[in-house]
Amino acid sequence: MTDLHRLSIREMTEGLNSAQFSSRELTQHYLNRIAHIDTQVHSYITVTAEQALAQADAADVVLKAGNASVLTGVPIAHKDIFCTQGIKTTAGSKILDNFISPYDATVVAKGKVAGLVTLGKVNMDEFAMGSTSENSFYGATANPWNLSHVPGGSSGGSAAAVAADLAPFATGTDTGGSIRQPASFCGLTGLKPTYGRVSRFGMIAYASSLDQGGPMARSAEDCAYLMNVMAGHDAKDSTSVEKDVDNYVTNLNATSVKGLRIGIPKQYFNVAGLDADVKARVEESLKKLEEMGATLVEIDLNMTESYVPTYYLIAPAEASSNLQRYDGVRYGYRCENPVDLTDLYKRSRSEGFGKEVQQRILIGTYALSAGYYDAYYVKAQKVRRLIQQDFLKAFESVDVIAAPSAPTTAYKIGANLSPTEMYLGDIYTLAVNLAGLPAINAPVGFDQNNLPVGLQLIGNYWSESQLLSVVHQYQQATDWHTKRAAIAEENA
Ligand code: GLN
């Protein structure tokens, strides 16, 4: 079969379980596509062909024996921020270019237990800092919809790999939008779960109070399958919450769009820099949801102007602390011929970290230093609480909140936006992480250059099922999520 990559995850599992094709055939099909097509997209940092085929063969044995679990034999790509035992994990950085983790991240381990086949590790902005994936030591990834544009970031490799059909689904992480924004730029569905829903164990830390892993795929249904694998309490992550997980797949029709109250924040649709096409497509999608029975309710989110400054203080502050561990001593890059310990630290870090990461370490260290701590860090934490309260108040009168995922469609590669311009592009995603809420991106059409536009739905705590369900029903009534970039139509 030449079109295995066109199957949904459900169809893949059905095909595997009814022996229409084997996991080896499916895996080989993706490996062929990666070999032929990823030379243009550059979504993978590491392709683990040999291990993948071995895992596929093992999956085929289990399938034949009739002992398969739902996803046995289905391939996946992992963001290169998840530690993988025996396989290089770089976090997009030169400082981890030689790093082979001695253990698997919980998300990766759970994937193995579920029988998933790892195709490889995909590109990302260095330490997940960025919105374009250009801040990767391994070079830029192209947007499958237009190769001269970025796929977004930081989970740009995950998004590009799925959008080019170089993986059926992928893991991502979202600290301030890194699942939702690349999903939006590449025309995919991506879910950022409630903080604490997915284990952070073995997920390389950027800003620990904001980081959360989640699924990226074509549809809400595909995401639900991966979410069933990723979600759950983990004793190895003290911030993972001991709370029953839903069955996200069987819950896909649990919430009705009929009667759903969708909050439309006044402040969000008046943001300077909101592209006219993005605004129009998002409004059309809301109109569609209204036709399906939802009620649109205008709401206030008064803290909107504080999102960017608050996040860009707290995230670098946590990053400056988290990234202290890369010092060239025990693992990672070490400079050549250090004259003494200070020289070793200094040069290993200045040679190993890229510019954006160094900038954020400096900002974070400054904000945390004695004398500035109260004025910056403590103040940002107080504003963070107000942002959270703003959302909780809104959820008293609405079920979900709608917004664009990003004010624009994908930037051109090399656009070289100033930090301020770049950071303002995160306006719609940051508050969700500051408040710890779940949110989802769904593709809702294209701009005049045929680049995808995304709708974001933000839910109350633990409402992942509801978000997936609403998007699933929208996707039953529309076909934006089935659109494929020309490069995904190519056969390997
Ligand atoms: N673009 C944001 C940043 O640069 C968010 C990144 C993320 O979610 N990892 O920090």
Side-chain angles (χ1 to χ4, degrees):
M1 268 198 245
T2 54
D3 54 358
L4 290 174
H5 58 279
R6 297 178 151 277
L7 302 177
S8 70
I9 297 295
R10 181 170 47 77
E11 290 164 341
M12 258 176 218
T13 65
E14 285 166 4
L16 287 165
N17 280 291
S18 58
Q20 285 171 45
F21 46 84
S22 64
S23 174
R24 175 171 262 267
E25 283 169 301
L26 183 62
T27 302
Q28 190 63 61
H29 180 78
Y30 276 100
L31 291 172
N32 291 348
R33 290 186 62 80
I34 294 167
H36 286 91
I37 295 170
D38 207 34
T39 48
Q40 297 171 69
V41 181
H42 306 292
S43 59
Y44 282 81
I45 294 178
T46 306
V47 180
T48 50
E50 232 170 85
Q51 290 103 316
L53 290 171
Q55 283 179 342
D57 287 342
D60 283 329
V61 172
V62 175
L63 281 159
K64 259 212 186 100
N67 297 327
S69 18
V70 189
L71 292 175
T72 302
V74 176
I76 189 168
H78 286 301
K79 184 175 182 179
D80 208 14
I81 200 167
F82 289 100
C83 285
T84 41
Q85 190 174 15
I87 300 168
K88 192 164 89 152
T89 300
T90 69
S93 183
K94 177 181 175 184
I95 215 157
L96 288 177
D97 189 40
N98 60 4
F99 176 61
I100 295 190
S101 168
Y103 60 88
D104 280 328
T106 296
V107 161
V108 172
K110 278 171 167 262
K112 282 186 181 169
V113 171
L116 292 173
V117 171
T118 305
L119 295 167
K121 309 288 296 288
V122 282
N123 202 14
M124 54 181 284
D125 285 300
E126 185 176 9
F127 287 102
M129 298 178 194
S131 307
T132 66
S133 299
E134 289 169 296
N135 300 340
S136 167
F137 174 65
Y138 304 90
T141 293
N143 187 317
W145 288 93
N146 182 329
L147 299 177
S148 62
H149 287 250
V150 302
S154 65
S155 311
S158 308
V162 176
D165 283 323
L166 305 177
F169 52 19
T171 51
T173 64
D174 190 313
T175 303
S178 280
I179 287 176
R180 291 160 284 157
Q181 183 259 24
S184 172
F185 280 14
C186 290
L188 302 176
T189 308
L191 173 71
K192 182 263 169 207
T194 307
Y195 184 79
R197 180 70 297 176
V198 171
S199 170
R200 292 186 301 109
F201 179 77
M203 192 177 106
I204 292 176
Y206 161 17
S208 305
S209 77
L210 305 161
D211 298 342
Q212 189 63 198
M216 301 174 75
R218 290 206 172 269
S219 65
E221 185 185 75
D222 290 358
C223 281
Y225 276 99
L226 185 49
M227 195 52 193
N228 272 358
V229 176
M230 295 178 81
H233 174 249
D234 179 11
K236 292 181 188 148
D237 170 8
S238 60
T239 62
S240 104
V241 174
E242 241 179 306
K243 185 176 167 55
D244 288 346
V245 278
D246 294 340
N247 183 327
Y248 302 100
V249 175
T250 52
N251 274 357
L252 279 169
N253 289 308
T255 307
S256 177
V257 173
K258 217 179 213 118
L260 187 80
R261 297 165 304 170
I262 304 179
I264 313 290
K266 261 189 253 164
Q267 292 79 355
Y268 282 25
F269 289 83
N270 293 323
V271 163
L274 173 56
D275 178 90
D277 283 352
V278 172
K279 187 169 186 223
R281 291 304 92 76
V282 167
E283 283 172 352
E284 286 157 20
S285 70
L286 292 171
K287 192 137 211 295
K288 178 75 196 172
L289 285 163
E290 203 176 20
E291 279 166 31
M292 292 168 65
T295 320
L296 306 185
V297 187
E298 200 174 69
I299 59 164
D300 271 303
L301 285 176
N302 290 308
M303 299 297 294
T304 307
E305 281 182 7
S306 309
Y307 298 168
V308 175
T310 306
Y311 171 89
Y312 277 101
L313 239 157
I314 292 176
E318 294 186 18
S320 73
S321 163
N322 273 326
L323 271 55
Q324 282 179 30
R325 69 189 69 160
Y326 307 105
D327 55 10
V329 176
R330 279 172 305 168
Y331 58 88
Y333 176 80
R334 179 183 296 172
C335 69
E336 283 184 22
N337 307 318
V339 294
D340 57 20
L341 190 62
T342 311
D343 186 44
L344 168 82
Y345 287 159
K346 231 184 177 164
R347 283 204 292 122
S348 298
R349 288 168 67 80
S350 1
E351 291 165 19
F353 287 133
K355 189 167 151 272
E356 181 70 24
V357 171
Q358 293 194 22
Q359 186 169 296
R360 295 197 192 190
I361 292 175
L362 290 174
I363 292 172
T365 308
Y366 184 84
L368 289 176
S369 57
Y372 295 109
Y373 183 83
D374 287 332
Y376 293 116
Y377 184 71
V378 173
K379 187 160 181 200
Q381 290 289 22
K382 289 181 179 160
V383 179
R384 179 178 188 175
R385 176 55 63 93
L386 294 177
I387 292 170
Q388 181 202 26
Q389 284 170 352
D390 220 18
F391 277 100
L392 290 181
K393 189 157 161 279
F395 283 122
E396 286 171 12
S397 55
V398 298
D399 303 304
V400 296
I401 295 170
S405 285
T408 66
T409 53
Y411 319 110
K412 272 212 136 109
I413 292 179
N416 216 357
L417 302 184
S418 71
T420 335
E421 288 171 306
M422 192 58 95
Y423 298 169
L424 278 171
D426 295 336
I427 177 115
Y428 294 120
T429 46
L430 303 175
V432 162
N433 303 73
L434 289 167
L437 294 165
I440 195 166
N441 176 76
V444 294
F446 297 87
D447 72 358
Q448 55 193 340
N449 302 315
N450 201 36
L451 288 165
V453 173
L455 162 74
Q456 179 181 204
L457 292 176
I458 305 167
N460 209 336
Y461 297 104
W462 315 108
S463 66
E464 288 80 6
S465 277
Q466 182 190 40
L467 293 175
L468 288 165
S469 181
V470 170
V471 171
H472 178 63
Q473 285 164 72
Y474 174 80
Q475 292 179 339
Q476 300 301 102
T478 56
D479 63 358
W480 299 117
H481 65 293
T482 66
K483 306 278 185 214
R484 281 178 150 79
I487 201 165
E489 303 283 3
E490 277 177 33
N491 283 326

